[in-house]
Amino acid sequence: MVVVLLVCATFTEWVGVYSVFGAFVLGAAMPRGAFADSIAGRLEPVTACVLLPLFFVYSGLNTRLDVVLDPAVLTTLLLVLVVAVAVKGGACTLAWRATGSSWRDAASLGSLMNARGLMELILLNIGRDAGLITVELYTVLALMTIITTLAATPLYEWIQRRGPGDRTRPHRSPSRSRRPCGHRHPEGRRLRRPRRWRRPWLRPRAGSW
């Protein structure tokens, strides 16, 4: 399996499509079944515990935090954060709200969709190695990716606790509901009490007659 993976990655790198896409195509084309489950069970611990942390270390080494001290770069970072949250998280929130969902569910979905994750860092490293983006732009986009990804779970939990949900009228128990002053006739007409009984001081008292 490792040999096939290396062959696919080498081929896509040779044709100029980058090795990561060869690995992706191999995983997508793998027939589902017991063999694929066995391979996934063996590769997942190594990938999650060794290879993935090494990739994040490599991405962190390419990030230069000292360039953020420049006012122009800092302003660009803030603008990129606002646009990224509004375009992805806000758009997903409005789209889900348009389907009839509540604001709480829509905002929860938007907060989760706002995360970028691993694929963003992979594309940033490809663009940097190809010379398509500068070090400053790489740093800005990498920080945007990390911030939006780390903020997804706390924002989701905050929305679930305090977000606006569907407000429904509280249920009123029958014992506290308003009762009509008079009785109902079997035909639906309302029978009024005698006029002199509507005031408590006019009601006859026991022993007064």
Side-chain angles (χ1 to χ4, degrees):
M1 182 63 186
V2 177
V3 175
V4 178
L5 172 62
L6 293 177
V7 170
C8 294
T10 303
F11 176 76
T12 52
E13 183 73 23
W14 177 68
V15 299
V17 192
Y18 298 102
S19 57
V20 63
F21 295 104
F24 173 78
V25 171
L26 175 62
M30 182 68 63
R32 301 298 183 264
F35 178 74
D37 296 339
S38 176
I39 294 298
R42 293 179 181 180
L43 293 180
E44 184 176 0
V46 179
T47 303
C49 298
V50 179
L51 300 180
L52 190 59
L54 287 177
F55 175 76
F56 278 96
V57 170
Y58 174 75
S59 300
L61 291 175
N62 292 331
T63 304
R64 292 180 53 188
L65 297 179
D66 56 337
V67 301
V68 184
L69 300 177
D70 187 1
V73 178
L74 182 59
T75 304
T76 305
L77 174 60
L78 295 178
L79 290 177
V80 168
L81 278 174
V82 172
V83 173
V85 173
V87 169
K88 191 175 183 182
C92 293
T93 300
L94 294 178
W96 192 246
R97 174 61 179 171
T99 61
S101 179
S102 64
W103 278 111
R104 173 177 295 178
D105 295 339
S108 300
L109 180 65
S111 64
L112 296 178
M113 292 296 295
N114 191 47
R116 267 71 183 177
L118 182 61
M119 198 62 195
E120 182 82 12
L121 293 177
I122 294 175
L123 296 176
L124 288 178
N125 283 283
I126 292 176
R128 181 183 178 277
D129 294 338
L132 300 177
I133 58 177
T134 61
V135 177
E136 292 80 8
L137 184 57
Y138 176 89
T139 302
V140 168
L141 295 179
L143 289 178
M144 180 271 297
T145 302
I146 297 299
I147 291 173
T148 53
T149 302
L150 292 179
T153 301
L155 184 60
Y156 171 80
E157 294 177 352
W158 181 83
I159 292 174
Q160 289 295 312
R161 292 194 303 267
R162 303 179 182 272
D166 290 335
R167 296 182 179 180
T168 58
R169 299 181 60 182
H171 178 69
R172 179 178 295 178
S173 59
S175 60
R176 297 182 180 180
S177 60
R178 295 185 60 183
R179 297 178 179 177
C181 296
H183 300 283
R184 292 282 181 179
H185 193 270
E187 297 180 358
R189 292 177 298 175
R190 188 171 178 176
L191 299 179
R192 303 181 66 86
R193 294 178 180 179
R195 188 175 183 82
R196 60 190 183 88
W197 286 10
R198 295 181 194 174
R199 297 176 178 84
W201 57 84
L202 296 179
R203 294 179 183 178
R205 298 179 181 178
S208 60
W209 290 356

